[in-house]
Amino acid sequence: MRIKKRKRQNRAVKFYTACCGFRKPFRVFCCGTFVHHLVDNHITPADQVISELLGSPVKLFTTRCIIEELKRLGPSYTEALEAARSLITARCPHEELKGGDACIADIIGKTNAEHFFLATTDYGLREKFREIPNTPIIYASRNAVLLESPSPFQRSYIKKLEEERSHMSSLELKILASKGISKEETEDEQTVRRKNVHKGLEMKDKVQFKRNRAKGPNPLSCLKKKKPDNADTQQKKDGNGNSDSSKKRNRKRKRSKTNQKKEASEN
């Protein structure tokens, strides 16, 4: 199960980086309940745990509104308050102090333009921000920190954006109209290009690139055999004109003394 969870979380991180524009190091916005859960369950250091989860270095953020909310919760949250103060304090878009949920809603906004990972243990907040595009949610469960997979709403939102990018915008249509090109002509050109692309991707029965096979015998194998050169048959001579055979010493067979005695007795 751990391997399956790890693969699912890696797919979620790749989805947000490829489709939503999240870049490393990731920015994680921590809710007060999330900080208290980490301190209460001794999940420390928090930045190291979350970086291992996302596979990248992270920066942890909170706001002054969340710090003030932890102050009001009493002495049981003093450790969580100290941990929240050690995080980077993000600037709130509002001047007056608000509750933690309202402050998070103002910072995330409608499209999460700042590209924050939202870390919270509040189930109501998790359900609310699943309906906001480009908002990955990190939650804590007992002694583990996990990343939610993208919701169906977020996937449909990304799919809708990709379809809009494939069509021309109003500004592009105005530029084409100023040059005297109609929208119908451009759409026809796009359809022709798509057809050509699909043609190139189709499977073909015949091989597109054929090998250059030999059409006849190898011409080098048809050559006549060369006769041996006269220079090889002739005796090699040195610089003085003497042949090599004259240089060689005349060797005579040595006869044994017994054979010599036999020949002398016969004579």
Side-chain angles (χ1 to χ4, degrees):
M1 286 297 292
R2 290 182 180 178
I3 296 172
K4 289 183 179 180
K5 283 182 181 179
R6 188 65 185 171
K7 287 182 178 179
R8 186 170 63 249
Q9 289 170 1
N10 289 340
R11 284 197 297 268
V13 172
K14 287 180 182 178
F15 173 81
Y16 288 114
T17 52
C19 302
C20 303
F22 283 76
R23 297 290 178 266
K24 299 176 182 180
F26 296 131
R27 308 173 72 187
V28 181
F29 187 84
C30 298
C31 176
T33 57
F34 182 79
V35 176
H36 175 68
H37 183 87
L38 294 183
V39 172
D40 195 19
N41 289 278
H42 305 286
I43 306 174
T44 54
D47 53 352
Q48 185 177 350
V49 173
I50 298 173
S51 64
E52 288 177 359
L53 172 68
L54 302 179
S56 167
V58 296
K59 293 181 179 180
L60 305 182
F61 290 84
T62 189
T63 58
R64 60 188 180 93
C65 297
I66 292 173
I67 293 172
E68 292 296 328
E69 187 179 33
L70 290 172
K71 277 183 183 178
R72 292 193 296 270
L73 290 174
S76 60
Y77 284 79
T78 52
E79 292 183 3
L81 177 62
E82 292 176 0
R85 283 174 175 170
S86 64
L87 305 181
I88 302 170
T89 305
R91 182 180 295 179
C92 301
H94 46 266
E95 294 182 0
E96 297 179 357
L97 291 174
K98 290 186 177 182
D101 297 353
C103 181
I104 292 169
D106 287 346
I107 286 177
I108 299 295
K110 294 180 179 181
T111 57
N112 192 12
E114 297 293 330
H115 295 96
F116 279 114
F117 282 79
L118 177 60
T120 181
T121 55
D122 190 352
Y123 190 76
L125 276 178
R126 287 168 59 186
E127 281 189 341
K128 178 182 178 181
F129 284 97
R130 281 177 194 148
E131 302 301 321
I132 295 176
N134 304 333
T135 309
I137 297 172
I138 298 172
Y139 66 98
S141 175
R142 294 182 182 178
N143 295 328
V145 178
L146 303 171
L147 174 66
E148 280 190 3
S149 25
S151 63
F153 172 79
Q154 292 180 357
R155 292 185 183 277
S156 62
Y157 177 79
I158 294 299
K159 189 176 181 181
K160 185 180 177 181
L161 281 180
E162 290 178 353
E163 289 177 355
E164 289 177 356
R165 288 171 188 169
S166 62
H167 299 290
M168 288 184 293
S169 63
S170 58
L171 179 61
E172 291 174 344
L173 289 173
K174 288 179 181 179
I175 294 169
L176 292 173
S178 64
K179 294 181 179 180
I181 302 171
S182 63
K183 181 181 177 181
E184 296 176 354
E185 292 177 0
T186 54
E187 287 179 353
D188 293 337
E189 288 178 359
Q190 287 179 357
T191 52
V192 170
R193 287 176 183 174
R194 286 173 187 170
K195 286 180 180 179
N196 291 332
V197 169
H198 287 301
K199 283 180 181 179
L201 295 175
E202 287 176 357
M203 298 296 292
K204 296 183 179 181
D205 296 334
K206 296 181 180 180
V207 181
Q208 188 173 2
F209 300 102
K210 294 183 178 180
R211 291 182 180 179
N212 294 326
R213 294 182 179 178
K215 297 179 180 179
N218 189 356
L220 296 175
S221 65
C222 299
L223 294 176
K224 295 180 179 179
K225 292 184 179 180
K226 293 182 179 180
K227 294 181 179 180
D229 297 334
N230 295 328
D232 295 337
T233 56
Q234 290 177 357
Q235 294 180 350
K236 295 180 181 179
K237 297 183 179 181
D238 57 358
N240 298 326
N242 298 323
S243 61
D244 293 340
S245 59
S246 61
K247 288 183 179 180
K248 293 178 182 179
R249 187 175 58 186
N250 293 326
R251 294 182 178 178
K252 293 181 179 181
R253 187 176 63 180
K254 293 182 178 181
R255 296 180 180 180
S256 61
K257 294 180 179 181
T258 56
N259 292 331
Q260 290 178 3
K261 289 177 181 181
K262 285 179 182 181
E263 288 178 359
S265 63
E266 288 176 359
N267 293 330

